[in-house]
Amino acid sequence: MSALLDVRGLCAGYGDAAVLHDVGLAVPEGSIVAVLGANGAGKTTLLRALSGLLRATMGSIVFDGADTAGVPVERLVRRGLAHVPEGRGVIDELTVDENLRLGGLWKNADHGHIYTLFPALAGRRRHLGHQLSGGERQMLAIGRALVAEPKLLLLDEPSLGLAPRVVAQLMRLLRRLTDSSGVAVLLVEQNVRSALSIADRGVVMSLGRVVVDAVAGDLRDDDRLRHAYLGF
């Protein structure tokens, strides 16, 4: 598989505080890559740099064959990159249907297929965002990002605060989504076991650097790596 996203030598931070140091990784088309590591490892900063919310100070980000340097966020979205940040970003005052409609507003995309993907939302389409459970809000945030049929989905801690049963359901859905539609996923997760259960590759970050980049199954089965970098 060719790389849909190719990151090399990426450095970024906030003001004088450097966070990412010479980060390199690739996300092949139609794959799930899990980015793992402790709090403060730089995972969220990485997603912000990839989606154009934070300017890189060094290195290159090539998405779908084109360098993203200086490209505005809205143009990256139109190229097929979608970012679901931590906290989900559901608009509480809008209904489920209205939230989904926003996801495809710029290209007048239909959102009916999202209800097939997330049946739990179909019966809640007239409910306001604040009336949803945590799991439903996460489904809505992901569904809104998927309305415009992106090529790459950046997910930041989608399992945060969810019950284990809901987390398992969400992870299975992401795997089915990738297998059926071909959308690639870069998944930042604290729930290591769940992430590695569906990922093709696992990337471990520590103090803003990539310290491991391996096949997910190998990382999951390697006791030494797990104990050294993932704490289990």
Side-chain angles (χ1 to χ4, degrees), residues 8-230:
R8 301 187 184 189
L10 180 65
C11 299
Y14 305 94
D16 294 331
V19 177
L20 302 180
H21 309 278
D22 195 29
V23 170
L25 59 85
V27 180
E29 297 177 357
S31 72
I32 298 177
V33 176
V35 180
L36 313 168
N39 287 332
K43 305 185 300 297
T44 292
T45 299
L46 171 63
L47 293 193
R48 288 176 56 82
L50 297 180
S51 63
L53 295 174
L54 179 66
R55 184 179 296 274
T57 55
M58 288 185 65
S60 67
I61 303 169
V62 175
F63 171 59
D64 199 22
D67 197 299
T68 69
V71 178
V73 173
E74 60 271 19
R75 283 182 57 194
L76 289 177
V77 171
R78 291 174 183 270
R79 285 188 187 178
L81 189 150
H83 181 190
V84 181
E86 182 182 340
R88 301 172 186 128
V90 168
I91 300 176
D92 287 340
E93 296 78 14
L94 298 182
T95 65
V96 168
D97 212 56
E98 290 166 339
N99 267 281
L100 289 176
R101 194 174 300 124
L102 282 178
L105 201 58
W106 63 271
K107 62 180 296 186
N108 197 29
D110 179 72
H111 61 274
H113 63 288
I114 302 300
Y115 291 123
T116 302
L117 187 62
F118 297 101
L121 296 179
R124 308 278 277 168
R125 63 179 68 198
R126 303 302 176 200
H127 287 69
L128 298 175
H130 69 81
Q131 296 175 308
L132 305 180
S133 68
E136 290 167 343
R137 288 170 65 86
Q138 185 62 80
M139 292 176 191
L140 178 56
I142 295 174
R144 186 175 61 191
L146 292 172
V147 170
E149 299 182 340
K151 299 173 183 177
L152 175 63
L153 183 63
L154 308 179
L155 291 180
D156 195 357
E157 303 285 4
S159 74
L160 189 66
L162 301 183
R165 177 184 58 81
V166 179
V167 172
Q169 178 186 7
L170 181 62
M171 293 298 170
R172 288 195 299 268
L173 188 143
L174 288 175
R175 185 70 257 180
R176 288 199 306 270
L177 173 68
T178 296
D179 291 341
S180 63
S181 71
V183 63
V185 177
L186 186 62
L187 171 66
V188 163
E189 253 303 332
Q190 289 277 29
N191 194 323
V192 174
R193 287 185 176 87
S194 292
L196 291 178
S197 73
I198 65 165
D200 298 290
R201 295 194 69 82
V203 173
V204 182
M205 294 187 65
S206 178
L207 300 177
R209 301 180 186 275
V210 172
V211 292
V212 177
D213 187 341
V215 174
D218 294 345
L219 181 55
R220 185 176 60 244
D221 297 337
D222 190 318
D223 293 339
R224 181 184 60 84
L225 286 178
R226 291 204 327 273
H227 292 321
Y229 297 112
L230 300 175

